[in-house]
Amino acid sequence: MATINCTCCGNKMPGMASAPFSNALGKRIHENVCQGCWSQWLMKQNQLINHFGLSTINPEHQQFLIQNMKAFLFNEGQLPQAEIDTSLEGTIKH
Ligand SMILES: [Zn+2]
């Protein structure tokens, strides 16, 4: 497994076995984010989904998660948490 310079934790760490998405962002994550930081993001993403009642098939919610992911992994952009419509919170039926 290749060692990468992780942009998230700043350490030289083992990278992921494969890209998490089959697009440019997935490639970028694969090349710049270590396995450990990706696992941490997945936990964070679950918290966000549960907290805000997000649907992963809703394009607006997907965008929100991608913005949070970039902020988390690349320290890039502003966390959009304050802007999301939290009226959905608790309304999604599981
Ligand atoms: Zn890392």
Side-chain angles (χ1 to χ4, degrees):
M1 195 176 288
T3 299
I4 53 142
N5 286 310
C6 178
T7 55
C8 185
C9 62
N11 296 322
K12 275 187 189 295
M13 298 289 283
M16 280 176 275
S18 60
F21 314 114
S22 57
N23 59 15
L25 180 61
K27 187 167 185 287
R28 186 176 169 204
I29 292 168
H30 190 209
E31 289 170 355
N32 295 286
V33 176
C34 73
Q35 177 66 58
C37 290
W38 178 248
S39 297
Q40 282 184 26
W41 161 248
L42 290 180
M43 284 195 294
K44 170 85 174 166
Q45 177 175 254
N46 268 334
Q47 286 171 2
L48 290 172
I49 288 171
N50 289 330
H51 183 76
F52 291 110
L54 303 180
S55 164
T56 50
I57 57 170
N58 179 320
E60 274 182 41
H61 294 180
Q62 286 174 356
Q63 210 49 44
F64 171 77
L65 287 171
I66 288 171
Q67 284 177 325
N68 270 277
M69 182 170 65
K70 286 181 177 173
F72 185 88
L73 298 175
F74 303 128
N75 199 22
E76 178 176 286
Q78 289 189 326
L79 278 179
Q81 276 187 16
E83 293 168 29
I84 191 149
D85 178 6
T86 53
S87 65
L88 283 171
E89 196 173 333
T91 62
I92 304 285
K93 292 187 177 70
H94 292 287

